[in-house]
Amino acid sequence: MSKPRSSGPDRSRRRLLSGMAALGAGSLLAGCDRITDNASVKRALGSVEQLTYKAQRLIASRQALAQEFDKSQIAPIFRPNGTTNPQEDYYRAWMENDFADWRLTIDGLVEQPTTLSLAELGEMPSRTQITRHDCVEGWSCIGQWTGVPLADLLDRVRPRDQARFVVFHCADHTYGGSDLYYESLDMVEAYHPQTILAYGLNDAALPVANGAPLRLRAERQLGYKQAKYVMRVELVDSFKHLHGGKGGYWEDRGYDWWAGI
């Protein structure tokens, strides 16, 4: 596990970036539907999101780490949110068999598509990190995550040159809707050392309420980017063929795609 990094300049930079992110994400999430349904407002907010994204890439190092914490700061119970008990038949079957039959598929714009069991993921080199989850609803929670660095999985499948985004397809229909949850990252965040596919929480197997058997942890992103119940990772050059075309379940419903903190 990497040691916490929170020097004065880093804290100042992160405060600047957090404020810029709030201008983009907060405008949408705190505003009323009548405002965000206005076409000119949507265009303006889209411009702010792009500004925030580009500014973060200019100011922050690609390897800059999110703050990590001490074990004494871990919350007794990591707060679950969103879907906490998927009811899909295939998921219930996996759960009843302790996920022995579950498989992660990695495909799309890769040279060597692969499928891995939970046991096979557990045999790969792992990373453990104690980080804070920041939700757009206004709460935070600190937990210890263990999983496979996404960079190692990408190295295994060898992304093609056209690949620009990594998409995480999930097993759950959020709030009983018709669309399966999904999320995405660009290649910079995908290769970041703190971006992992986690199968462990607080020295135990990942609970169902928190996304078992596998969830994304991208520690420089807000909570809605941390996709749970991941069952497929797809590398793509655009989002146009995916659901609403915005790169994520909530993004298709008005949230910013860039959620950096």
Side-chain angles (χ1 to χ4, degrees):
M1 179 180 71
S2 301
K3 294 181 180 179
R5 297 187 181 183
S6 57
S7 64
D10 283 343
R11 287 197 300 270
S12 297
R13 180 174 60 193
R14 292 192 68 78
R15 281 197 296 268
L16 171 62
L17 294 174
S18 297
M20 295 173 73
L23 179 61
S27 297
L28 276 176
L29 302 180
C32 68
D33 290 340
R34 286 183 300 169
I35 293 175
T36 55
D37 282 343
N38 183 284
S40 61
V41 172
K42 285 186 175 180
R43 286 195 298 272
L45 292 174
S47 298
V48 170
E49 178 186 357
Q50 286 301 310
L51 175 62
T52 305
Y53 173 62
K54 291 177 181 178
Q56 196 276 346
R57 287 286 177 254
L58 285 172
I59 297 172
S61 165
R62 292 187 173 208
Q63 297 299 309
L65 297 179
Q67 183 178 2
E68 298 190 17
F69 298 84
D70 185 79
K71 275 202 168 189
S72 64
Q73 297 172 282
I74 295 173
I77 298 176
F78 191 88
R79 177 175 173 172
N81 196 36
T83 301
T84 58
N85 190 19
Q87 296 300 305
E88 290 73 16
D89 289 343
Y90 51 83
Y91 183 85
R92 307 304 295 180
W94 290 335
M95 187 174 65
E96 289 171 7
N97 197 27
D98 206 20
F99 299 105
D101 297 327
W102 171 92
R103 296 293 183 272
L104 174 70
T105 298
I106 309 175
D107 59 9
L109 295 175
V110 301
E111 296 294 340
Q112 189 172 334
T114 191
T115 300
L116 296 163
S117 67
L118 190 58
E120 289 171 324
L121 289 169
E123 292 171 357
M124 294 182 64
S126 66
R127 177 183 172 92
T128 295
Q129 56 201 28
I130 301 174
T131 54
R132 186 182 64 225
H133 179 104
D134 293 316
C135 181
V136 296
E137 295 172 352
W139 58 268
S140 297
C141 195
I142 293 175
Q144 176 181 283
W145 306 96
T146 299
V148 181
L150 182 58
D152 291 352
L153 293 170
L154 295 179
D155 286 345
R156 175 179 287 212
V157 299
R158 303 200 308 274
R160 297 180 184 173
D161 291 342
Q162 309 98 294
R164 296 180 56 212
F165 305 102
V166 180
V167 180
F168 306 90
H169 298 276
C170 305
D172 61 311
H173 290 81
T174 297
Y175 302 125
S178 59
D179 291 337
L180 288 170
Y181 200 91
Y182 80 107
E183 256 305 338
S184 61
L185 299 173
D186 65 12
M187 300 301 285
V188 172
E189 289 302 307
Y191 274 99
H192 188 268
Q194 289 174 310
T195 299
I196 65 174
L197 291 180
Y199 48 72
L201 173 61
N202 297 342
D203 291 322
L206 185 66
V208 167
N210 299 112
L214 198 70
R215 70 170 294 162
L216 173 66
R217 293 302 309 176
E219 304 299 352
R220 302 197 299 182
Q221 299 282 301
L222 288 169
Y224 65 86
K225 301 293 286 189
Q226 320 293 335
K228 300 187 295 185
Y229 314 112
V230 175
M231 59 180 180
R232 180 188 175 205
V233 175
E234 179 187 13
L235 275 72
V236 301
D237 59 356
S238 76
F239 304 134
K240 61 184 179 181
H241 68 291
L242 296 170
H243 302 286
K246 299 297 178 63
Y249 178 91
W250 288 114
E251 289 88 330
D252 288 342
R253 289 155 178 81
Y255 284 35
D256 286 349
W257 176 79
W258 176 246
I261 53 176

